[in-house]
């Protein structure tokens, strides 16, 4: 890195340019549901295997009997001040949607919106370099994109991938009795809120970057397993929000064991002090009617609703496969844990119950 770039980065705090950061920028679930309900019906296309019906991670289009195209896009405003780290996190988060469908990414395009008159070219270049580095790690060509001059910094990717049509993992295939496995620890949103408030130490920052920039490439292997029934990645709606999408789409309800949840230690300490994102509150307001919390401390509710940026895969698998799925995660270095179980939905008033 040249002295000019170091000097330019030292003068800029990216998070000061945005009203929100990372997946915490997402529109609240209830509002998004209302907006999508106003959309006209999509053109009926037999080849479109997955569209908007179940709020899945990506669209899936059948090319032939052996290949299905997975397409998604994801972008947001800065969650950290370091431009290179911002680019890495945004790219990893976008590619995660492909992995969450059980696919292998094959191509990416950059989406870039920057306040050109406020951010030095060196800083913007570092954002793009961070995204390109993650694409290289994933073995994906970053083959172009689109840029605009915007009020707030925005960066992300359009991503495309491939999978066998019979190995696609939607969020609507879970079955009663399935085990729920979470592949990364919770707390990224809390750490990002602490960063913006100036109370995140170096250890907390390093923990956040390590989790948020880790590719969910284990999703490719999970996609090949017939005993993995459903999969999604935990992002802006928090663990509860994305678990609710699995429950609604699969006609199931879930029980979570709070003591089993993997969490980032530094985030627990901060959540106990009441540090949370505004998105956490919006998330809870959107789905609290479908969730029952029993003996759950306020700090744990924060982590359950915490918007994860490039969070972990949430997997629903046959109970007898749970040990093998966990071993697959652990062999590749993920902090994964079995966090709950799915049951038959009997219209009991709550799709998700959490035991404290």
């Amino acid at each position: 890195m040249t002295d000019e770039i170091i000097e330019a980065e030292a003068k800029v705090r990216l998070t000061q340019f945005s009203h929100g950061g990372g997946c915490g920028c997402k529109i609240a679930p209830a509002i998004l549901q209302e907006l999508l309900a106003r959309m006209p019906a999509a053109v009926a296309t037999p080849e479109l295997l997955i569209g908007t019906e179940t709020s899945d991670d990506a669209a899936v289009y059948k090319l032939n009997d052996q290949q299905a195209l997975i397409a998604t896009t994801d972008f947001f405003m800065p969650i950290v001040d370091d431009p290179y780290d911002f680019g890495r996190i945004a790219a990893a988060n976008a590619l995660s949607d492909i992995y969450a469908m059980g696919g292998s990414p094959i191509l990416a395009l950059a989406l870039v919106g920057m306040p050109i008159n406020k951010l030095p070219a060196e800083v913007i270049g570092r954002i793009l370099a961070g995204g390109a580095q993650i694409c290289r790690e994933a073995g994906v060509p970053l083959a172009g994109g689109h840029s605009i001059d915007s009020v707030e910094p925005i960066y992300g990717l359009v991503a495309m991938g491939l999978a066998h049509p019979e190995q696609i993992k939607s969020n609507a295939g879970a079955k009663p009795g399935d085990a729920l496995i979470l592949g990364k620890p919770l707390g990224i949103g809390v750490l990002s809120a602490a960063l913006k408030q100036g109370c995140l130490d170096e250890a907390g920052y390093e923990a956040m970057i390590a989790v948020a920039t880790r590719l969910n490439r284990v999703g490719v292997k999970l996609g090949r397993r017939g005993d993995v029934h459903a999969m999604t990645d935990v992002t802006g709606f928090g663990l509860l929000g994305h678990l609710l999408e699995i429950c609604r789409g699969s006609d199931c309800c879930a029980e979570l064991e709070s003591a089993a949840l993997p969490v980032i230690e530094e985030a627990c300490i901060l959540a106990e002090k009441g540090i949370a994102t505004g998105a956490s509150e919006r998330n809870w307001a959107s789905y609290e009617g479908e969730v029952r919390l029993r003996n759950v401390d306020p700090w744990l509710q924060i982590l359950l609703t915490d918007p994860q940026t490039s969070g972990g895969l949430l997997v629903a698998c046959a109970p007898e496969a749970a040990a093998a799925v966990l071993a697959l995660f652990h062999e590749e270095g993920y902090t994964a844990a079995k966090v709950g179980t799915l049951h038959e939905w009997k219209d009991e008033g709550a799709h998700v119950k959490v035991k404290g």
Side-chain angles (χ1 to χ4, degrees), residues 193-326:
L195 175 67
K196 202 158 189 177
Q197 295 175 32
C199 57
L200 184 65
D201 60 20
E202 185 176 349
Y205 184 81
E206 290 178 355
M208 177 173 66
I209 298 302
V211 173
T213 59
R214 185 179 185 91
L215 289 166
N216 279 321
R217 65 175 90 219
V218 68
V220 179
K221 293 181 179 180
L222 292 169
R224 297 171 184 155
R225 297 187 62 102
D227 47 18
V228 169
H229 300 146
M231 196 155 57
T232 190
D233 60 343
V234 179
T235 55
F237 300 155
L239 175 60
L240 290 181
H242 293 285
L243 176 55
L244 277 169
E245 290 177 338
I246 287 181
C247 289
R248 294 170 188 148
S250 306
D251 202 23
C252 290
C253 59
E255 286 190 3
L256 288 180
E257 297 287 345
S258 61
L261 292 171
V263 294
I264 301 172
E265 182 178 351
E266 291 85 353
C268 285
I269 296 170
L270 292 165
E272 288 175 351
K273 296 178 181 178
I275 293 179
T277 68
S280 181
E281 297 178 7
R282 294 192 298 273
N283 284 341
W284 180 244
S286 292
Y287 49 61
E288 63 176 312
E290 296 183 76
V291 179
R292 295 291 179 270
L293 304 180
R294 189 172 69 188
N295 300 322
V296 171
D297 293 326
W299 64 267
L300 182 56
Q301 181 177 321
I302 289 174
L303 290 175
L304 288 166
T305 57
D306 191 43
Q308 304 303 286
T309 302
S310 191
L313 295 179
L314 179 61
V315 180
C317 67
E320 63 272 15
V325 170
L326 275 172

Side-chain angles (χ1 to χ4, degrees), residues 101-165:
M101 306 300 294
S104 299
I106 59 169
L107 181 69
L109 305 172
L111 297 173
V112 183
M114 296 291 157
I116 299 299
N117 293 330
K118 296 180 180 179
L119 284 183
E122 295 85 356
V123 170
I124 298 174
R126 291 290 289 167
I127 295 171
L128 303 184
Q133 174 58 34
I134 287 294
C135 288
R136 281 193 293 271
E137 290 180 21
V140 178
L142 186 53
H146 183 65
S147 61
I148 62 169
D149 186 353
S150 64
V151 176
E152 296 177 293
I154 298 170
Y155 180 71
L157 300 178
V158 173
M160 285 163 276
L162 290 174
H164 192 287

Side-chain angles (χ1 to χ4, degrees), residues 52-141:
T52 62
E53 297 79 13
T54 59
S55 303
D56 225 316
D57 296 296
V60 180
Y61 188 92
K62 184 177 180 180
L63 299 175
N64 51 56
D65 290 341
Q66 301 298 317
Q67 293 177 311
L69 177 69
I70 306 169
T72 185
T73 184
D74 213 312
F75 54 89
F76 45 64
M77 293 167 283
I79 187 174
V80 294
D81 292 316
D82 184 281
Y84 190 73
D85 286 343
F86 170 42
R88 293 168 65 211
I89 293 170
N93 182 73
L95 293 174
S96 182
D97 286 341
I98 303 296
Y99 295 126
M101 306 300 294
S104 299
I106 59 169
L107 181 69
L109 305 172
L111 297 173
V112 183
M114 296 291 157
I116 299 299
N117 293 330
K118 296 180 180 179
L119 284 183
E122 295 85 356
V123 170
I124 298 174
R126 291 290 289 167
I127 295 171
L128 303 184
Q133 174 58 34
I134 287 294
C135 288
R136 281 193 293 271
E137 290 180 21
V140 178

